[in-house]
Amino acid sequence: MKIYFLNGSKAGESLDLKKNSLKVGRELDNDVVLDTGGVSRYHALLQTTADGLWMISDLESTNGTKVNGDLINAPYQLKETDVISLGDQNIRFGKKRDLAKDVASIISQKEQAGDEVTEIIFHSAPPQSEPPSKPMISIKPPSLSKTENLAPPPPAPVPEKTDLSIFENKNINFFQKKAAKAQADTKTPADSKKRRISNLLFYTMLGAAVIIFAVIFYKVTEDNERIRNTNVAATTKKPAPFVLQYTKELIDRDNIFRFVLNLDDEKAYFSIDDIKSQRHFTKEIDEMPKHYLDDIRKEIDKTGFFTLDPLYSDSSSGETSSERTLMIAGNRKINKVTIKNISYAPNSFETFELLIKDFAAQYGLQTISMSPDEIIQQATEYYNKAEELYHNREANPENILKAIMRFRLAVEYLDQFQPKPKIWDLARKRENEAETLRKKLLEDLNFELVRLANLSDFVAAKEVLESYMRLVPEGSKAYNACIKKRLQYDREIRRRRR
């Protein structure tokens, strides 16, 4: 089986599906690497079942996986000519039939058998001398040699006895009447009737071939038009660009502290510099959480941020200087507000500060107000608890996911320090080890789930599905897809018990 790339940098290429399982995505360690817009780092998984069926699953990608324009939320069984959409990349599963190649194959078989074959010419457009409504396949009879052209016309031939079964008679040629032998006998009414029937069969088959060719051409044109309309609709629905920049600076005799966050529709960058505690940390997020951007967009006009004055300040700052600056461009508006040497700020400004703190907390920056000793102590507690859960994973596989979350928190807490504490390296290695084990378990469970579903063993499939749910974060796309699939299995189980 092959897949065919319909657009993008691989347009026109194909790939043999030799492995039983292939990962597709933007990262270089995927089996199929796609450098196309909208494709996630690990986007989808292609794999075969024990019965030789090909299934496709979405790997919690940002834009989802579509088959024939429909978004899939569970493993989907592929059929030949299905069009798979991964972001902006369109891939066809299996090859469409080519009428011209099929006809050429039949002609080759006739020539090898020694039968005379009519020449068939496929035109890319109707001939100039004929009306456009004529068929786009012309029949050209075989030419006679010079000797045959000079010979006198033979007596009226008598057709040889023919069995009209199109499946058993080897003398019937659908592209040309077999050359008759010269005989002295005259035609009978029965012979004329048989010849008319043979001619009728020939033109019927020829007309059917033309219709099949026209249907295939129309179907290909319709698929391309549907894909183009989908891409155009996605482009027209794209909202206006969004940019947010936030800076917080605190300067006194003993320390200089600076926090920066820059984000837009696609990525985010933030950094912390704390001279006293020797914290220097930067981080870049390649894929922005959609729900976070949606929350900010909703608050832009609701809070009245674009009506604020550009500066709120107090000149009597004393020995400490503080400055907070927020710039937002969105909904086709822009405003930049600075709060200098005062602790309070307008409500709309503080609303966005809270959203920024929540976002920073997702990436380990909730430690802004903690001392270095407090940060190390908290990270150590996360690491010790994660180790305990990971060692007890055999008793409860759900502990693997819990351990990964705590290893990750320990790493993020200690990312800010230079040089890194020893426990940072231990937690990072343990997190990678646990994550690799979790992905392997999920792949095995997914394969078993597809196999049981194909066997209609929905009771066993439901048990496997529940094991799968224990290894994915609650509320994630994969978790919600499992809930829907579990409801389907429950309905099938109740229907079979009636």
Side-chain angles (χ1 to χ4, degrees):
M1 182 59 65
K2 288 185 175 183
I3 56 175
Y4 297 82
F5 300 92
L6 303 181
N7 66 331
S9 60
K10 295 179 180 288
E13 297 182 13
S14 63
L15 177 66
D16 287 313
L17 302 181
K18 296 181 180 179
K19 298 174 63 177
N20 293 332
S21 177
L22 296 96
K23 285 185 180 179
V24 185
R26 199 175 66 246
E27 286 291 336
L28 297 180
D29 58 349
N30 285 288
D31 299 296
V32 181
V33 180
L34 297 176
D35 186 13
T36 307
V39 178
S40 295
R41 295 170 59 233
Y42 300 97
H43 199 115
L45 175 69
L46 286 165
Q47 59 184 164
T48 55
T49 65
D51 299 329
L53 302 175
W54 277 96
M55 312 293 294
I56 185 168
S57 307
D58 185 73
L59 299 179
E60 302 184 33
S61 63
T62 301
N63 297 314
T65 300
K66 297 180 180 179
V67 179
N68 298 326
D70 297 326
L71 197 65
I72 64 171
N73 294 319
Y76 181 89
Q77 180 180 330
L78 293 170
K79 303 179 291 298
E80 283 205 64
T81 73
D82 278 348
V83 176
I84 304 168
S85 298
L86 311 177
D88 296 336
Q89 178 69 57
N90 297 309
I91 303 172
R92 187 176 69 244
F93 177 79
K95 187 175 183 181
K96 293 192 175 182
R97 296 194 60 182
D98 190 329
L99 177 61
K101 289 184 179 179
D102 292 346
V103 173
S105 176
I106 295 173
I107 292 175
S108 177
Q109 294 174 10
K110 290 294 180 182
E111 289 178 342
Q112 292 176 5
D115 293 336
E116 192 172 7
V117 180
T118 300
E119 182 180 355
I120 298 180
I121 303 172
F122 289 84
H123 299 285
S124 59
Q128 296 292 335
S129 60
E130 298 180 359
S133 60
K134 289 189 175 182
M136 296 179 68
I137 302 178
S138 61
I139 308 298
K140 183 179 179 181
S143 61
L144 299 175
S145 65
K146 292 182 179 180
T147 305
E148 290 172 329
N149 287 334
L150 296 176
V158 178
E160 57 185 9
K161 187 176 180 181
T162 304
D163 183 359
L164 296 180
S165 171
I166 63 175
F167 300 102
E168 299 177 359
N169 183 17
K170 298 180 180 179
N171 294 325
I172 292 181
N173 189 325
F174 293 115
F175 296 92
Q176 161 190 346
K177 293 180 289 184
K178 191 173 183 67
K181 298 179 181 179
Q183 297 183 8
D185 297 338
T186 60
K187 296 181 180 180
T188 65
D191 293 332
S192 298
K193 182 177 181 181
K194 290 180 179 179
R195 186 171 295 280
R196 287 196 299 271
I197 294 175
S198 179
N199 290 340
L200 178 62
L201 285 172
F202 163 67
Y203 287 112
T204 301
M205 295 299 295
L206 181 60
V210 174
I211 292 173
I212 292 173
F213 180 81
V215 169
I216 293 174
F217 179 79
Y218 173 78
K219 183 63 177 174
V220 171
T221 304
E222 186 182 48
D223 289 345
N224 291 337
E225 183 67 17
R226 178 168 53 80
I227 293 171
R228 188 184 68 82
N229 291 337
T230 301
N231 292 337
V232 170
T235 303
T236 55
K237 292 180 180 178
K238 189 174 181 179
F242 173 79
V243 177
L244 183 147
Q245 295 178 349
Y246 176 76
T247 304
K248 179 179 180 180
E249 293 181 346
L250 300 174
I251 302 174
D252 57 25
R253 286 182 176 181
D254 300 327
N255 194 23
I256 298 177
F257 172 85
R258 192 169 190 266
F259 171 75
V260 176
L261 170 63
N262 295 326
L263 65 87
D264 54 32
D265 293 306
E266 298 180 353
K267 60 184 179 180
Y269 167 86
F270 45 77
S271 67
I272 295 176
D273 289 291
D274 190 345
I275 303 300
K276 186 175 182 179
S277 62
Q278 291 297 304
R279 286 188 291 169
H280 303 282
F281 175 73
T282 62
K283 189 161 189 172
E284 186 169 343
I285 310 301
D286 292 331
E287 295 183 6
M288 285 294 299
K290 184 177 182 301
H291 67 87
Y292 176 73
L293 290 176
D294 290 342
D295 290 343
I296 293 182
R297 287 181 182 276
K298 291 176 184 177
E299 295 293 338
I300 287 177
D301 289 324
K302 191 191 326 184
T303 60
F305 175 81
F306 292 112
T307 63
L308 295 180
D309 295 332
L311 178 64
Y312 297 83
S313 66
D314 183 1
S315 57
S316 57
S317 59
E319 297 181 352
T320 302
S321 174
S322 67
E323 182 173 308
R324 293 173 288 166
T325 301
L326 177 62
M327 189 279 290
I328 297 178
N331 295 355
R332 307 189 185 281
K333 300 177 182 179
I334 185 171
N335 194 19
K336 182 177 181 181
V337 180
T338 300
I339 310 296
K340 191 171 184 179
N341 294 329
I342 53 178
S343 58
Y344 65 89
N347 289 336
S348 56
F349 189 98
E350 292 184 341
T351 297
F352 284 108
E353 279 191 318
L354 290 174
L355 290 173
I356 290 169
K357 289 179 180 179
D358 291 341
F359 175 67
Q362 296 181 34
Y363 299 98
L365 296 181
Q366 62 271 41
T367 60
I368 293 175
S369 61
M370 298 172 65
S371 67
D373 292 339
E374 291 173 335
I375 295 173
I376 293 175
Q377 180 182 354
Q378 182 64 61
T380 303
E381 291 178 3
Y382 282 137
Y383 175 80
N384 292 335
K385 183 61 178 179
E387 282 284 286
E388 178 184 344
L389 291 168
Y390 189 61
H391 284 301
N392 293 327
R393 62 184 181 276
E394 297 294 338
N396 184 4
E398 187 178 0
N399 287 342
I400 296 176
L401 180 61
K402 295 179 179 179
I404 290 173
M405 300 303 295
R406 284 165 175 78
F407 282 134
R408 189 168 297 164
L409 283 171
V411 170
E412 290 176 349
Y413 268 51
L414 300 175
D415 261 340
Q416 309 167 41
F417 292 92
Q418 291 293 342
K420 300 285 193 297
K422 182 179 180 180
I423 195 173
W424 173 86
D425 190 54
L426 295 174
R428 187 170 58 90
K429 290 180 180 179
R430 277 297 204 184
E431 179 194 350
N432 291 335
E433 179 183 334
E435 181 62 22
T436 301
L437 176 61
R438 185 183 79 97
K439 289 182 177 179
K440 179 64 172 61
L441 292 174
L442 288 176
E443 288 180 2
D444 294 342
L445 289 171
N446 186 66
F447 186 84
E448 183 67 9
L449 186 64
V450 172
R451 186 184 71 83
L452 293 172
N454 289 332
L455 295 174
S456 298
D457 189 352
F458 297 110
V459 174
K462 182 181 176 182
E463 294 177 358
V464 173
L465 186 66
E466 290 174 348
S467 298
Y468 191 100
M469 293 174 66
R470 296 187 189 100
L471 292 173
V472 294
E474 187 173 350
S476 65
K477 184 186 296 185
Y479 188 89
N480 293 334
C482 288
I483 292 176
K484 293 180 181 179
K485 183 62 66 175
R486 186 173 61 184
L487 293 174
Q488 295 177 9
Y489 290 163
D490 286 337
R491 285 195 293 269
E492 288 293 333
I493 293 171
R494 289 196 298 269
R495 184 179 63 83
R496 289 170 177 265
R497 288 175 178 173
R498 290 172 184 166

